[in-house]
Amino acid sequence: MNQLEKLFDVPGPRGKRKLAIINTTGLVFILLIAVALVWVLVEKDQLSANKWKPIFTVDVWKEYLLPGLWGTIKAAVIAIVTSNIFGIVLGIGRLSPIAPIRWFSGIVVEFFRAVPVLVIMIFFYFSLSQLSLKADWLDSANAPFYGVILGLTLYNGSVIAELVRSGVYNLPRGQREAGMAIGLTHGQTLQHVELPQALVAMMPAMVSQLVVILKDTALGYIVVYPELLRQAKLVGTTYVNLLPALVVAALMFITVNTLLGMAAHGLSARLNQRTSAPADELADPGLLVDAD
């Protein structure tokens, strides 16, 4: 019995014909929608060479797209680092045996998880813009950047804190009991036994959250932060080719997200190798002798 047969009953000849008809109908429907979309774009003169020609010029990439890509990557990298620090600290706070710390961490996490990230960005953008009028050390030109970073950090850090808390809670209860049995304190058990395992277990969810952080940098467009989406919009308004500019920006987002996902999955695989022994090593009789 193959894997598919374990998941559901294999259809008979009549069922296979029905599935073939459904799949063919769906494919034809999708093709009709694609043809209609291309037809509309041709009618609106969105696929002409004049619309796409500026995309392949050096000036567009040098003045707009590459600076926008750098703005997106810079904000994403900083927000990824700060979100993880903020999230791990709050996650540990939610696991603290000290009730006030646990309550405070819970209030912070639930508040910033409930508030949309765009609202947080706009709040800090306007707050920092007003503060820059009274403080010489703060440049108003940096308010969009700080607003984006703070918004991404507070929102995604709160999500990561919940991942940390749930990762520790999902561990077998014996992990904590074993740590306490050998004389470790609650904090030492959390630091040396539970947290490393929880971080590895929640790595797939962490990968998804990193991609979310990168995509959410596009919300900086609202607070005039010069990220990729805003720069693509400037290309579209300057050269009257908004659709091609947005298509190129989307392809750049897809490429960067794919590379980020591959890097994160590679890190996850390395962590799994370092925290688990191969099956043949576990079955080695010599290890059992040494253990005795």
Side-chain angles (χ1 to χ4, degrees), residues 68-83:
L69 179 61
W70 168 242
T72 292
I73 293 176
K74 179 173 66 174
V77 169
I78 295 175
I80 286 172
V81 174
T82 55
S83 296

Side-chain angles (χ1 to χ4, degrees), residues 87 90-92 94-95 110 113 160-170 198 202:
L90 279 181
I92 294 175
R94 297 208 69 181
L95 297 168
E110 294 302 328
R113 285 180 64 205
I160 291 173
E162 277 299 288
L163 292 177
V164 172
R165 185 181 69 88
S166 62
V168 171
Y169 279 167
N170 287 332
M202 72 182 191

